[in-house]
Amino acid sequence: MKNGILFSPFKINGFNLKNRIGVAPMTRMSSPGDSIPRQDVLDFLVRRAQNGAAIIYTEAIVTDYESAQGYPKQARLVTQRQIDAWKPVVKAIQQEGAIAIMQMFHCGRMAWPEVNPAGRVIAPSAVTLKQDNPMTGSPYPLPDAMTQFDIDHVIKGFVETARGAVEAGFDGIEIHGAHGYLINSFLSSYSNRRTDSYGGSVGNRFRFAHEVIAAVRKVVPRERLLLFRISNWGVADMKVSLFESKAEWQQTIKLLSDEPIDAISVSTYGYSDKAFGTDQTMAQLTREVTDLPIMICGKISDRASADDALKDADIVLSAKSILLNPNWVEDIRAGKDLPLYESKAAGVAYTDTPLP
Ligand SMILES: Cc1cc2nc3c(=O)[nH]c(=O)nc-3n(C[C@H](O)[C@H](O)[C@H](O)COP(=O)(O)O)c2cc1C
C-alpha cells in the first residue's frame, strides 16, 4: 500500500497534523527527587519530532504526591519548576512541526506505597491483583476502597496536572484510562465491585471517568486537545480481558463519545488481534460505534503494519519501534525492512543510558 494515507495530513480539532504517526506515551523512570525527567529523556522526545512524527506524547505523568505513583522516579507537572522544565521541550517539539501531548495517570491499585509519600494504595474496591509486583517481587498491597472524599481529591490531582500542562504550553492533554490503572479499574468489573453509584452497570462504572473528563475539560481550553486512552488489557494480570464482552466495550466507547474529548486512543497488545471471540479487531469494534478520531497502538512496526492499522483508525502510535530506532519515521517512509521488537528490548528505556 505505497499510496496509503500514512503520510497524508489529518485534522483534529484545530490542528493540522502533517502525517498519521505519533510517539506513544512511554514512562522512563528518569525523574529523581524533583519529578523532572533527565535532560536526555526530554531531548529524546524532541529528536522524535525532528525525525518527522506528528504527535509526541510525554510519559505518563503522575497526578499527585500521595497515592498516584506506581514506579520509581516518575515525573509530575504541578510545580512551577516542573512546568518551567517542560516549556522549552514543548516549544522545540512544536518548532519541528509536531504537537506535544501530556499524558497523565493515577496508578490506582498498581501504585507502589514505598514511592508515594502518603504510603497509600487506593482503588475502586479492596481487590488486589493476582500477580506480584514485578518491580518489588512482592504481592501488590490490598488497596483501600476509595471514599467520596478520595474520589474528589484524586480528581483535583488530574485537574492540577492538566493546569500544569496548559501552563507549560502543551497542545493537548491525555487522560490515561487504560492498562489497569485507576480510571481503567473503575471501568472494569474485574476490579470494580462497588455497590454505590460508581459500580455495577457500565454507566455507573463509567461515572468516575466522566467526572475526571468533565473536571479536566474545564481547565483545558477548547482550542487544545483532550484525549482519552483506553484498553482491554492491564500491565498486571495481563491476560485478563478487562471488559466482559464486545457489547460492554462498545457501550463504554459510546459513553466516551458523548464526552467533550477530541479523540480516543485504543491501546492493544497487537493491533491486528481479534477481540472478544469475534473476528474483529479492537479498532474495528471501536470504529463501529464512534465518529471520534481513533488512535491505534500495538505491534505497529513497519510500513505494512502501519498502513494496515490505518484501515480502521486515523492515527498510528508506536512505542518500542520509535523508542529503539530514532529514524523510524524516515525508515518507514523509505519502506525499509524493520524489526518487531520484544518487550525485553525496551528495558533500556528505564536505564541511565541515553537513547539516540
Ligand atoms: C518503555 C515503555 C514505557 C511505556 N510507558 C507507557 C506510559 O507511560 N503510558 C502508556 O499509556 N503506555 C505506556 N507504554 C505502552 C506503550 O505506549 C504501547 O501501548 C505499547 O508498548 C505497545 O506498543 P508497541 O507495540 O508499539 O510497543 C509503555 C511502553 C514502553 C515500551
Side-chain angles (χ1 to χ4, degrees):
M1 266 184 62
K2 277 253 148 48
N3 299 320
I5 57 171
L6 188 59
F7 286 95
S8 69
F10 184 69
K11 200 166 169 4
I12 175 168
N13 197 339
F15 294 91
N16 285 308
L17 303 182
K18 60 184 168 185
N19 61 43
R20 312 299 188 94
I21 302 173
V23 176
M26 279 182 275
T27 292
R28 298 291 304 275
M29 295 193 256
S30 71
S31 317
D34 55 7
S35 295
I36 297 171
R38 281 197 322 264
Q39 192 57 44
D40 65 278
V41 170
L42 298 173
D43 294 344
F44 159 93
L45 297 174
V46 179
R47 272 197 304 276
R48 285 353 181 229
Q50 281 163 352
N51 188 240
I55 301 177
I56 308 289
Y57 269 95
T58 67
E59 60 194 84
I61 293 198
V62 298
T63 50
D64 66 40
Y65 269 99
E66 290 143 32
S67 58
Q69 191 172 344
Y71 307 92
K73 300 192 230 171
Q74 287 199 275
R76 291 182 174 80
L77 198 36
V78 285
T79 70
Q80 192 62 51
R81 279 190 63 204
Q82 290 156 1
I83 292 164
D84 291 345
W86 278 100
K87 275 184 183 168
V89 184
V90 170
K91 199 171 252 171
I93 289 170
Q94 291 163 341
Q95 276 166 353
E96 296 299 336
I99 63 167
I101 311 284
M102 187 277 290
Q103 188 198 50
M104 57 178 173
F105 78 158
H106 185 297
C107 283
R109 65 185 185 152
M110 282 192 269
W112 184 357
E114 285 80 0
V115 295
N116 278 295
R120 234 186 132 204
V121 177
I122 58 175
S125 306
V127 180
T128 192
L129 288 143
K130 294 205 169 69
Q131 72 161 74
D132 287 349
N133 182 337
M135 300 209 69
T136 63
S138 307
Y140 283 97
L142 184 69
D144 291 344
M146 289 167 76
T147 62
Q148 188 63 53
F149 182 88
D150 290 329
I151 288 173
D152 296 343
H153 183 67
V154 164
I155 290 174
K156 286 192 187 120
F158 278 95
V159 171
E160 282 303 294
T161 305
R163 285 184 59 223
V166 169
E167 176 67 22
F170 279 93
D171 301 294
I173 278 110
E174 179 170 278
I175 297 169
H176 193 342
H179 301 170
Y181 297 115
L182 184 65
I183 294 177
N184 198 216
S185 73
F186 266 89
L187 297 176
S188 172
S189 58
Y190 182 61
S191 38
N192 183 344
R193 313 277 167 83
R194 297 176 76 99
T195 52
D196 63 3
S197 63
Y198 292 94
S201 66
V202 172
N204 276 2
R205 280 183 268 136
F206 187 78
R207 188 178 311 280
F208 179 63
H210 164 76
E211 289 180 357
V212 173
I213 294 168
V216 168
R217 186 80 253 191
K218 284 194 191 133
V219 299
V220 177
R222 272 292 169 175
E223 61 275 17
R224 303 211 203 179
L225 301 177
L226 182 58
L227 313 166
F228 191 93
R229 195 172 212 208
I230 185 165
S231 69
N232 187 38
W233 64 283
V235 299
D237 293 357
M238 200 171 193
K239 298 252 151 59
V240 175
S241 176
L242 297 177
F243 292 83
E244 285 169 18
S245 61
K246 165 181 169 172
E248 195 177 284
W249 173 265
Q250 291 192 324
Q251 216 182 323
T252 306
I253 296 296
K254 278 188 202 160
L255 290 169
L256 257 184
S257 306
D258 291 337
E259 295 292 331
I261 58 172
D262 298 293
I264 300 176
S265 177
V266 179
S267 166
T268 70
Y269 198 59
Y271 82 91
S272 60
D273 295 348
K274 306 291 189 275
F276 303 113
T278 71
D279 61 355
Q280 291 172 292
T281 62
M282 293 302 288
Q284 286 166 342
L285 292 174
T286 306
R287 184 66 106 201
E288 260 179 17
V289 290
T290 188
D291 293 327
L292 282 175
I294 296 173
M295 300 185 191
I296 190 76
C297 185
K299 296 200 170 111
I300 296 164
S301 60
D302 56 11
R303 181 68 196 247
S305 50
D307 282 338
D308 192 41
L310 284 178
K311 286 181 192 156
D312 302 299
D314 301 295
I315 290 162
V316 292
L317 301 182
S318 162
K320 290 188 280 294
S321 293
I322 227 160
L323 174 84
L324 296 164
N325 176 0
N327 301 317
W328 191 72
V329 178
E330 277 312 307
D331 286 354
I332 289 261
R333 195 195 287 273
K336 282 195 188 170
D337 274 344
L338 297 168
L340 177 63
Y341 293 102
E342 299 289 327
S343 294
K344 227 168 82 188
V348 64
Y350 311 122
T351 67
D352 290 343
T353 310
L355 290 168

